[in-house]
Amino acid sequence: MAEPEAPQVEEEEEEELPAWSLPADAVERIGIPVEWPERVDREWAWGGSTGKGVKVCILDSGVEAGHPLVGEVAGAWAVSLGEDEQAIVEEDDQGDQCGHGTACAGIVRALAPDAELYSVRVLGAGYTGSGPVLLAGLRWSIEQGFHVINMSLSTTKKQFAAVLHELADSAYFRRTVLVASAHNMPVESFPWKFSSVVSVGSHELDDAFTLFSNPDPPVEFFARGVDLDVAWLGGSTIRVTGNSFATPHVSGFCALVLGKHPELTPFQLKNVLYLVSDNVGGGRG
Amino acid sequence: MADGDLRAAVAAGVLGAEELYAQLLRSVVEVARAIFGAKASSIFLLDEEADELVFAAVCGEGEEHLVGTRIPSSTGIAGWVLVTRQPLVLEDLANDPRFARDVAEATGYVPSGLMAVPLLHEERALGVLQVLDRPKRSRFTLQEMELLGLFANQAAIAVDLLQRAREARAVLQEDESVVARLAEAVRALPDEKREAGLKLLASLESVLRD
């Protein structure tokens, strides 16, 4: 089996400034050439974008490559635990162990047809090790420099919360957007509640491009997640409902925005999503 | 109470718990089926030691004798729901050839639609409740999703409570002579000392649990 080829991470210029301060003579050097319009709307946000150049990772059950609604998967890896409890990341040829990852990949593909899709499979190695596998898979995916990581997974185990929090913050500062499914059951779960991720719940409208910003967080956005047709195993399609299907819609929007505005940080991207939400004003009113 | 009587009482308690547990699981699937007017409902419970899901109860279509069948804990739809803690509603599942084959082999009944919700209580994931073939209406609604979650939450609290009681009773059964002596000692205490004795036992329990 060939070594997995990690997606290329753009080389960053060497850091010249002190990490935590800004000398006066450095002010000119940190100009950020971005022009914000008077009003951010969808035309500015993603008009003309196909998600080209954006790497989207589906952290899930695997993805069925070649599915008519998914097309090419640029790379696939599986995470498991070795005998010494160390995480192992290997190239994955098992496809999808459930159908869910394929559904997510198909949703992103439909919205951002030229985005590069990657699969990191964190399911299939048993329930008992699923917490450490999730952490290892997320850590590895962040290290690869994917621009967007779509994750429907959450854990209720408090012992993992602190590490997940650190990982979510590290993704945030590395310009990797974590898009996580909100959990609408009455239990405490992570990482969707962290402010460094973009959390998504479902709305009931039958339109893939309808997006709402929630004025009453912690769930930040509502996307289409009720009764929609999605890619499933064996080249099939099925009809589904769940927040975990709303999430890849927002990952798709992120890919579209980043395809056009690659300089945006996760914080700014979240703001753009807010500004183009249908209930905010930059939507399609 | 003599040792023998206590032992008999403990044994009866354990037997009662098993019966109650089976009744509870049965009731959960029956109510789930009734709420949604579905053809069937089933429940998988997590066997943490074996790291597998065990088919624990079923009502409606499906084979009662398959209760006890084991499936992997992190693959397939039930495994996905357990690991991710996210509920899923899927229709037209018969389109998926692998699902149709696997499920037909496992249960002899291939549903076309399925709602699956994790049974979660506090930090514990206890299993997965499935509701099969609810009547097709024009569109699924978030209200139904919420109902599914609320019911699963109630079921999970009950299952967790009974599981803990079973575990405690199993320990009691194993160590019944020690526990019986302890219980007898507390029972024999004069009223004014019994409260202190019970407090001591509660502290001991809290130390043992930490």
Side-chain angles (χ1 to χ4, degrees):
Chain A
M1 193 185 289
E3 280 292 301
E5 188 186 324
Q8 294 298 307
V9 184
E10 284 159 26
E11 288 291 322
E12 284 177 16
E13 282 181 27
E14 211 166 302
E15 186 68 64
E16 291 176 10
L17 301 168
W20 315 113
S21 57
L22 182 68
D25 62 354
V27 170
E28 274 185 23
R29 275 189 280 141
I30 63 156
I32 300 172
V34 58
E35 284 182 28
W36 289 85
E38 208 165 291
R39 174 174 168 174
V40 171
D41 59 13
R42 291 192 180 192
E43 182 50 37
W44 181 88
W46 65 57
S49 174
T50 57
K52 196 172 171 56
V54 182
K55 300 173 197 299
V56 180
C57 169
I58 310 291
L59 193 73
D60 208 297
S61 56
V63 174
E64 183 176 291
H67 188 292
L69 298 179
V70 172
E72 190 192 341
V73 174
W77 298 271
V79 187
S80 58
L81 288 185
E83 282 178 13
D84 52 356
E85 300 286 304
Q86 288 298 304
I88 303 165
V89 181
E90 295 171 297
E91 204 170 352
D92 188 19
D93 57 5
Q94 300 290 306
D96 189 341
Q97 308 266 316
C98 162
H100 191 276
T102 302
C104 292
I107 291 167
V108 175
R109 175 68 79 214
L111 294 170
D114 290 329
E116 285 174 36
L117 294 176
Y118 296 84
S119 165
V120 174
R121 181 162 64 80
V122 286
L123 277 101
Y127 170 80
T128 308
S130 59
V133 165
L134 165 63
L135 292 179
L138 183 58
R139 186 188 306 277
W140 187 83
S141 300
I142 293 166
E143 285 165 2
Q144 304 318 302
F146 296 118
H147 301 109
V148 181
I149 297 176
N150 183 90
M151 57 184 300
S152 307
L153 295 92
S154 57
T155 179
T156 43
K157 303 261 185 203
K158 289 196 174 70
Q159 67 187 99
F160 299 127
V163 181
L164 271 173
H165 210 151
E166 281 170 28
L167 286 174
D169 278 356
S170 100
Y172 179 89
F173 289 118
R174 292 180 68 127
R175 299 197 175 206
T176 291
V177 184
L178 288 189
V179 187
S181 300
H183 204 218
N184 53 4
M185 297 181 65
V187 287
E188 187 78 17
S189 65
F190 320 95
W192 67 273
K193 269 190 180 173
F194 301 148
S195 58
S196 48
V197 313
V198 177
S199 61
V200 187
S202 304
H203 66 61
E204 273 181 319
L205 304 182
D206 189 19
D207 175 42
F209 277 93
T210 299
L211 175 71
F212 296 107
S213 172
N214 183 11
D216 187 22
V219 182
E220 292 177 297
F221 294 97
F222 298 120
R224 184 193 195 193
V226 177
D227 238 9
L228 60 152
D229 290 319
V230 295
W232 206 256
L233 298 181
S236 67
T237 58
I238 65 168
R239 183 157 277 249
V240 298
T241 295
N243 285 352
S244 60
F245 303 106
T247 308
H249 283 84
V250 173
S251 293
F253 299 146
C254 289
L256 288 176
V257 176
L258 290 175
K260 192 171 177 185
H261 306 284
E263 73 285 355
L264 295 184
T265 66
F267 174 76
Q268 291 155 350
L269 176 59
K270 199 189 274 195
N271 257 307
V272 171
L273 292 174
Y274 162 76
L275 290 167
V276 303
S277 289
D278 285 272
N279 59 331
V280 172
R284 291 163 292 173
Chain B
M1 196 186 282
D3 255 16
D5 292 343
L6 253 177
R7 203 166 288 134
V10 168
V14 172
L15 279 177
E18 288 305 311
E19 180 60 27
L20 194 62
Y21 191 61
Q23 277 176 18
L24 172 77
L25 296 178
R26 175 90 199 159
S27 160
V28 166
V29 288
E30 276 169 2
V31 175
R33 181 187 172 207
I35 289 176
F36 293 97
K39 275 196 187 157
S41 174
S42 56
I43 194 167
F44 289 96
L45 291 181
L46 176 66
D47 176 346
E48 283 193 53
E49 218 160 281
D51 201 4
E52 287 173 324
L53 279 167
V54 185
F55 197 64
V58 60
C59 77
E61 305 257 356
E63 305 285 336
E64 187 74 45
H65 71 265
L66 288 164
V67 166
T69 307
R70 289 166 174 269
I71 61 169
S73 62
S74 69
T75 57
I77 291 159
W80 188 92
V81 168
L82 182 77
V83 172
T84 65
R85 276 97 162 153
Q86 289 278 356
L88 281 185
V89 180
L90 311 171
E91 303 283 351
D92 313 323
L93 263 172
N95 291 353
D96 168 0
R98 196 163 88 188
F99 174 80
R101 192 191 60 225
D102 290 356
V103 173
E105 279 172 9
T107 66
Y109 162 61
V110 183
S112 76
L114 180 159
M115 302 160 70
V117 61
L119 296 172
L120 305 172
H121 187 226
E122 293 169 352
E123 290 191 41
R124 297 178 85 194
L126 307 167
V128 176
L129 174 68
Q130 294 192 331
V131 179
L132 311 171
D133 283 333
R134 57 182 261 290
K136 278 202 177 175
R137 296 185 197 98
S138 52
R139 277 180 68 75
F140 191 77
T141 62
L142 285 176
Q143 208 175 3
E144 288 176 280
M145 198 75 176
E146 174 141 9
L147 184 60
L148 181 67
L150 286 173
F151 177 68
N153 185 48
Q154 189 184 42
I157 293 171
V159 171
D160 191 37
L161 202 65
L162 266 191
Q163 277 189 350
R164 285 176 196 267
R166 273 173 102 207
E167 285 159 14
R169 285 192 160 112
V171 170
L172 202 64
Q173 197 174 26
E174 269 176 29
D175 305 327
E176 67 184 51
S177 61
V178 178
V179 177
R181 283 205 304 276
L182 202 56
E184 179 53 26
V186 174
R187 199 192 64 80
L189 287 172
D191 286 348
E192 67 274 15
K193 285 194 177 166
R194 187 173 297 131
E195 199 180 336
L198 288 171
K199 269 189 191 159
L200 189 62
L201 282 180
S203 308
L204 180 64
E205 184 193 7
S206 124
V207 169
L208 289 175
R209 278 183 190 274
D210 281 341

